Amino acid sequence: MQLLLRCWLLLLARATDDECAEESCAMSALQRRAAQLSFDASDALEEAFAVATLSTGPPSFALCGGKSYDKSQENCCGGEIYSLTSQGCCGNSSVYTFAKQGCCNDEQVFTYGVENCVPHKLKPDWVNPNVTFECAEDWPPANYGNYWLRYCAAGQHMAWAMTPSCKVGWLSVKQDNLEDAEKQALDACQAKATAYNGETCYVFDRDGGGCRRQRCGTEMYDASVCLGSAL
Ligand SMILES: *[C@@H]1O[C@H](CO)[C@@H](O)[C@H](O)[C@H]1NC(C)=O
Ligand SMILES: *[C@@H]1O[C@H](CO)[C@@H](O)[C@H](O)[C@H]1NC(C)=O
């Protein structure tokens, strides 16, 4: 700092030599220049401060498919950069746009209104260990969709009994306890099944344990998040 000031003094002394022979005159010229200098410096600081506060925190960059992206705004999905606010990453591999697409079972991108998503990961809370129902994977089948919806809305205690082929079924709702509901559903189911094809009935659902899974026409949906689409 000392050196800098001396240099200024020297420069000023030289520049003002002609009109400013006295030392006091040179000093006041120096003071004017110093005031000018500090004004410029604060201007530059102001600008630097503005630039620093414009960006929200230090930007953090990462690489995605060989390209760099800002981690506060974007993310990487299967080697593709996507926007955190308007897009998602499906199955860690495909980018989809919230406004018009969904991610089906965290596996596959589908377009609303064009493709359906069958929520096969909506496993029922309870599954009968004694029997495999043929229609369980695609439950409820189209011809049971409305019954299933009404069964689910009816209220506990309730049970749905069915044959393994899913050809004969019977339900019981609004019972005092689960045992009564199961017995009534099983007895009525068995009477129908014996007359129809001799199959045995088993309990398929207990107290609506599988009711998140619903069908509306050809579309499957999760009733716990979009009940409105059924009404
Ligand atoms: C996606 O990646 C995360 C973290 O590596 C992992 O926990 C998750 O199971 C993955 N999901 C799929 C659908 O592969
Ligand atoms: C499964 O079979 C066992 C043995 O017959 C029986 O005790 C049990 O109640 C059955 N479970 C159901 C849910 O039907």
Side-chain angles (χ1 to χ4, degrees):
M1 201 57 184
Q2 278 288 341
L3 188 66
L4 195 68
L5 271 175
R6 270 197 208 126
C7 290
W8 270 107
L9 199 54
L10 259 173
L11 276 171
L12 275 169
R14 232 176 253 162
T16 54
D17 260 356
D18 296 340
E19 75 234 61
C20 211
E22 288 174 29
E23 200 182 335
S24 63
C25 177
M27 276 309 287
S28 66
L30 176 64
Q31 276 161 2
R32 279 202 305 277
R33 288 300 297 266
Q36 180 70 32
L37 181 73
S38 70
F39 175 75
D40 289 348
S42 75
D43 244 16
L45 268 180
E46 196 80 50
E47 197 180 313
F49 189 70
V51 168
T53 50
L54 265 180
S55 58
T56 54
S60 168
F61 291 99
L63 278 179
C64 178
K67 288 180 190 160
S68 134
Y69 67 94
D70 179 354
K71 283 166 83 180
S72 69
Q73 317 266 337
E74 297 162 318
N75 206 348
C76 187
C77 179
E80 205 183 324
I81 297 166
Y82 68 97
S83 153
L84 281 173
T85 49
S86 63
Q87 293 176 308
C89 183
C90 191
N92 291 339
S93 62
S94 314
V95 173
Y96 66 103
T97 303
F98 297 145
K100 55 182 181 17
Q101 292 170 314
C103 176
C104 190
N105 295 314
D106 197 24
E107 274 174 356
Q108 208 182 339
V109 174
F110 70 104
T111 305
Y112 297 133
V114 176
E115 296 153 291
N116 291 330
C117 172
V118 179
H120 67 66
K121 286 188 177 158
L122 286 177
K123 296 281 183 230
D125 296 345
W126 177 84
V127 174
N128 190 330
N130 297 339
V131 57
T132 302
F133 294 94
E134 284 173 25
C135 58
E137 276 298 302
D138 299 315
W139 185 261
N143 55 338
Y144 284 164
N146 282 337
Y147 294 111
W148 179 245
L149 186 63
R150 283 158 62 193
Y151 162 79
C152 288
Q156 294 178 355
H157 289 284
M158 61 214 210
W160 180 293
M162 199 158 56
T163 59
S165 71
C166 306
K167 286 183 176 151
V168 179
W170 200 263
L171 58 91
S172 173
V173 297
K174 291 182 181 165
Q175 300 300 323
D176 289 340
N177 56 62
L178 186 57
E179 290 69 38
D180 281 358
E182 287 188 2
K183 186 176 186 321
Q184 291 203 20
L186 276 172
D187 288 351
C189 176
Q190 196 55 61
K192 303 271 177 199
T194 302
Y196 181 69
N197 62 2
E199 274 189 282
T200 302
C201 284
Y202 299 90
V203 175
F204 172 73
D205 181 81
R206 287 181 143 166
D207 273 347
C211 281
R212 275 182 66 190
R213 227 187 130 104
Q214 292 290 341
R215 172 191 286 272
C216 182
T218 57
E219 209 162 325
M220 306 298 298
Y221 65 94
D222 180 348
S224 69
V225 295
C226 47
L227 195 61
S229 62
L231 306 173

